[in-house]
Amino acid sequence: RAMMRSAASRALGVFWALALGGLAASSAQTAVHSSKNTVLDPEGVIAAHLAELEAAKTTAPAATCVMSADDACPLAELPAEAPSRIMPGGATTCIFGDPYAFDVYPGAPDRVVVYFEGGGACWDKASTVVDPLCTTSISDALSSEGIFDRANAKSPFANDTIIKINYCSGDCHVGDVVREYGGLKNETVTQRGALNVHAVLDWLAAQQPSKNVASPLARLVVSGSSAGSIAAQVLASNVTARLDASRMYVVLDSYVGVFPDGVEGPLIAQFGACPYVPTAALRAQCEADELRLQDVAATQIRDLLPTARVATLLSKRDAIQISYYDALSVTEPTDSLVDSLFLEPPEFYASAQRILETSYAVAADRSAGDAVAFVVDTDLHTYLNDAYLYDATTDGVAPSFDYFGGEDYDAEGRAVRRAAEKKKQGLVQWLAAFLGDDECCEACEGALIAIPSNDQNTTYCDAALASRCAATP
């Protein structure tokens, strides 16, 4: 695949957009659906992705309940046939002070999905108050695609009660910090994602004693997309500790934690996340600016969720993960900056596979549950919140979606539909097997080889992972 992406061009593009003020002015369509020989525009891709997240929200809430001393907004009093919005108040807030809210999609009382919404990240003044690289407020409309498409008979979540933890704090749901950035507007930034989450979990935990949901639940799924995947990795055991459930599942959608060297630990600590990571050992790592997301995920799998099935959804050339890597490289320079400034798709894919190998290693000796991945041969970012959930196979999606451009786009950047290969394994069918405790094995399209040292392409599948299957109870 031809990709004319010089490091110098990308450096200038990200620097001027982030450090000096503004996402690319090009439209989302131009930024995302670049033609075959167009240099990738990371900041434009991020802006396009955030806009598309908002465009996918088209459902009006059937009711809005404001929690107070006199009204706990119990599930039993919400509309039974349509989603509702709850405003918990208290210390909850969005990044610029807008009110926080979460959404409830009613369903079976014994099957609950806790879903952490994605929406980018804001980690410094340039990425926050110049032109935010994160969602900063709650949309008036509710999500209606992917697992939120309640009418889609293919959905393995169609009958579940879904608690959607909305995202507007820019801290991957794990922050607790106030930043004074100053400037012409005297910007004060409040990132209280962890407090927002705990308000939702307080409400949800209260539903079991009042018999609004079953105790125990037959099935509890902790999931999240993008920044929400980071939250699910850090906070999964916080969720499961609050609810009684017979079977537990974790679905991590499109963020495995490929960060520039030396950036990840300080970033997590600066969000104020250290008190909320799940063990004393991890908190000590966090306070020393040394915590890595893969350390948290490994601890969750090995020690805190020993019987849970864990699934990772990954695109081989995920352009949003790559774009945030690039933005962090420029705004958070480290001593190893020269070696890790910009990330090409083959480098991303190889790094992601190495992280998954670590997760698999700690899961190997567990008596129940297991960790497996579904790998999609595309550049797409997130599936659970998108209609692509129902179209994706290990070979990609149809029509093909490619942030980096290539043979799937014409000269004007319009997507060219390619015939779907019916024999490839489908993501939604794989998820149904995963959640149904059926045989569910690593899914990937390509030659089985060891991760190549030269990181030249993404056409392969990691042989070290290929034989893994989720254990059945």
Side-chain angles (χ1 to χ4, degrees), residues 316-384:
K316 287 185 176 183
R317 303 175 300 282
D318 187 321
I320 298 299
Q321 292 193 61
I322 292 171
S323 293
Y324 274 104
Y325 179 106
D326 291 354
L328 284 164
S329 292
V330 171
T331 62
E332 301 290 321
T334 67
D335 292 340
S336 59
L337 182 63
V338 174
D339 295 329
S340 62
L341 182 56
F342 293 116
L343 192 68
E344 298 294 332
E347 297 172 293
F348 164 77
Y349 180 51
S351 297
Q353 294 298 286
R354 294 186 185 103
I355 290 172
L356 290 181
E357 284 187 4
T358 301
S359 297
Y360 281 40
V362 300
D365 296 328
R366 302 191 315 170
S367 60
D370 219 329
V372 289
F374 191 98
V375 181
V376 186
D377 188 9
T378 184
D379 303 17
L380 186 65
H381 184 67
T382 73
Y383 296 92
L384 293 179

Side-chain angles (χ1 to χ4, degrees), residues 240-457:
T240 60
R242 304 293 299 275
L243 296 167
D244 184 16
S246 298
R247 291 289 292 141
M248 293 177 288
Y249 307 80
V250 180
V251 182
L252 307 173
D253 179 16
S254 300
Y255 224 100
V256 294
V258 179
F259 288 93
D261 293 342
V263 167
E264 191 173 0
L267 186 69
I268 295 171
Q270 289 164 15
F271 277 141
C274 296
Y276 303 97
V277 296
T279 69
L282 292 174
R283 287 192 288 275
Q285 283 183 258
C286 183
E287 291 164 359
D289 288 350
E290 296 174 351
L291 185 63
R292 301 177 303 169
L293 186 60
Q294 60 185 285
D295 299 328
V296 183
T299 299
Q300 296 275 21
I301 292 171
R302 180 184 60 242
D303 300 329
L304 303 178
L305 302 169
T307 62
R309 276 186 158 190
V310 180
T312 298
L313 313 183
L314 172 70
S315 294
K316 287 185 176 183
R317 303 175 300 282
D318 187 321
I320 298 299
Q321 292 193 61
I322 292 171
S323 293
Y324 274 104
Y325 179 106
D326 291 354
L328 284 164
S329 292
V330 171
T331 62
E332 301 290 321
T334 67
D335 292 340
S336 59
L337 182 63
V338 174
D339 295 329
S340 62
L341 182 56
F342 293 116
L343 192 68
E344 298 294 332
E347 297 172 293
F348 164 77
Y349 180 51
S351 297
Q353 294 298 286
R354 294 186 185 103
I355 290 172
L356 290 181
E357 284 187 4
T358 301
S359 297
Y360 281 40
V362 300
D365 296 328
R366 302 191 315 170
S367 60
D370 219 329
V372 289
F374 191 98
V375 181
V376 186
D377 188 9
T378 184
D379 303 17
L380 186 65
H381 184 67
T382 73
Y383 296 92
L384 293 179
N385 60 337
D386 199 287
Y388 287 113
L389 172 66
Y390 304 103
D391 298 326
T393 71
T394 51
D395 193 45
V397 296
S400 179
F401 190 96
D402 194 331
Y403 284 100
F404 294 110
E407 63 272 16
D408 300 314
Y409 290 87
D410 63 20
E412 283 71 44
R414 291 188 294 263
V416 176
R417 181 179 290 273
R418 67 180 180 187
E421 296 190 39
K422 302 299 184 183
K423 294 182 180 180
K424 306 303 181 184
Q425 189 167 6
L427 172 56
V428 71
Q429 292 83 8
W430 185 88
L431 272 176
F434 174 84
L435 296 169
D437 288 332
D438 298 327
E439 182 179 63
C440 184
C441 300
E442 185 82 6
C444 181
E445 183 67 23
L448 299 180
I449 62 172
I451 298 172
S453 58
N454 55 11
D455 296 339
Q456 289 184 347
N457 63 66

